Amino acid sequence: MSDYKQQLEDAIRTFNQFERAEFMLDTTSRWLGLDGPTYLLGDIRVKALFLDASDRHWVDAYLAVESLCGISQDNAHTEAYRQLAIDGNEVRDLWVFTDTRGRWNAVMIPVDELARRWGYPPPVLLPDGNWARNWLDLPERTDEQELVWIANGGNPVHTYRAENQL
């Protein structure tokens, strides 16, 4: 790896670590990494990335909307789910930078609160090792495409990405 690329990777990692630290202080939570628990929320999967002092798992609501609606972010259906997710007291912004998404506004919310806002039944915790969309996954790839890829022996796309950035 070139010195320039290493400096860039280090800067991205430092940015993400600082943003996470601020989020953890604000929410009294701890970072679970990309291998945190996976929940079934309605008919989509969401990845818990933080656990707070009240034992609540926090998920990125905008990744959940992406799983639910795909990447076409310019329709009323998508906007309605986004608005339902962000209107409330327990929502927190977390800025994340990855080579996949660039600068991403992760709108974090406890998973049970997101289910309540969307009118879904309580989320179901899936067994360890289940895939759910995260910041390193390609936004243009649907959940169905990723799950078929994994079912046919492929590694999750995010494992090929720069996890050291987070």
Side-chain angles (χ1 to χ4, degrees):
M1 180 180 306
S2 70
D3 189 45
Y4 171 76
K5 183 158 173 50
Q6 185 61 53
Q7 289 175 8
L8 179 60
E9 295 266 335
D10 291 347
I12 290 170
R13 186 175 38 260
T14 299
F15 173 86
N16 289 330
Q17 288 171 344
F18 176 80
E19 292 294 318
R20 273 199 317 269
E22 290 288 314
F23 176 83
M24 290 185 294
L25 284 172
D26 186 39
T27 60
T28 60
S29 63
R30 66 181 173 89
W31 167 241
L32 299 174
L34 298 178
D35 295 324
T38 302
Y39 284 89
L40 189 61
L41 179 66
D43 59 357
I44 64 167
R45 296 161 179 243
V46 292
K47 182 64 72 176
L49 301 165
F50 294 89
L51 177 67
D52 70 17
S54 300
D55 285 331
R56 296 179 311 164
H57 285 118
W58 289 67
V59 299
D60 182 344
Y62 280 3
L63 286 179
V65 170
E66 192 174 280
S67 287
L68 188 65
C69 302
I71 61 167
S72 60
Q73 302 292 318
D74 297 330
N75 64 49
H77 181 73
T78 301
E79 190 54 36
Y81 275 101
R82 288 169 70 99
Q83 264 326 116
L84 285 170
I86 64 173
D87 291 339
N89 295 333
E90 293 199 89
V91 176
R92 301 289 185 278
D93 286 328
L94 170 65
W95 289 98
V96 178
F97 195 97
T98 66
D99 62 355
T100 308
R101 295 176 181 276
R103 190 168 182 234
W104 174 261
N105 182 18
V107 176
M108 304 301 295
I109 185 171
V111 66
D112 52 345
E113 178 64 12
L114 184 60
R116 187 188 70 71
R117 287 170 189 260
W118 284 359
Y120 286 2
V124 176
L125 182 62
L126 296 173
D128 286 347
N130 267 278
W131 176 87
R133 182 174 297 276
N134 71 53
W135 301 315
L136 296 175
D137 287 305
L138 300 172
E140 61 273 9
R141 194 163 179 166
T142 67
D143 287 12
E144 292 79 19
Q145 289 170 323
E146 186 70 12
L147 290 169
V148 167
W149 172 260
I150 294 167
N152 287 304
N155 289 328
V157 170
H158 78 265
T159 62
Y160 299 107
R161 311 300 294 177
E163 288 188 49
N164 62 331
Q165 291 178 355
L166 298 171

